[in-house]
């Protein structure tokens, strides 16, 4: 489970985030390219989901992250 205390600094504020357990597998950016991208050391959320499709993609990215590095605070 992702830990909000270990958020990657580049994450844009909002419910979804990546933490520092990310292993840069690129899965999230494949599943939700409108929301996740590669940073210096880790992937991160560069845009929070704005429509149903993006919400669905972000949720799928969270579920498919192999190390559970994606969190959703839900607020
Ligand atoms: S799916 Fe998880 S481990 Fe893979 S790049 Fe995204 S946050 Fe990192």
């Amino acid at each position: 489970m992702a830990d909000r205390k270990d958020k990657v600094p580049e994450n844009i504020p909002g419910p979804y985030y990546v933490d520092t357990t990310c292993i840069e597998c690129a899965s999230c950016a494949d599943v939700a390219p409108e929301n996740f991208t590669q940073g210096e050391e880790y992937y991160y959320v560069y845009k929070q989901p704005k429509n149903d499709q993006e919400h669905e993609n972000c949720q799928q990215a969270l579920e498919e992250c192999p190390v559970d590095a994606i969190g959703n605070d839900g607020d």
Side-chain angles (χ1 to χ4, degrees):
M1 187 175 170
D3 188 338
R4 70 184 70 177
K5 295 193 300 296
D6 296 325
K7 283 182 183 178
V8 172
E10 291 100 320
N11 288 297
I12 199 88
Y16 281 95
Y17 61 91
V18 175
D19 78 10
T20 56
T21 59
C22 169
I23 58 170
E24 296 189 278
C25 76
S27 169
C28 54
D30 285 342
V31 172
E34 301 299 323
N35 306 97
F36 291 82
T37 193
Q38 188 172 19
E40 289 280 320
E41 285 187 89
Y42 310 103
Y43 279 67
Y44 66 98
V45 176
Y46 73 96
K47 196 186 89 184
Q48 296 293 333
K50 297 292 185 208
N51 56 47
D52 288 349
Q53 185 65 60
E54 289 181 9
H55 277 282
E56 199 174 298
N57 292 346
C58 284
Q59 184 58 33
Q60 185 180 344
L62 183 154
E63 290 169 7
E64 293 183 2
C65 175
V67 292
D68 293 333
I70 299 172
N72 177 4
D73 282 348
D75 52 16

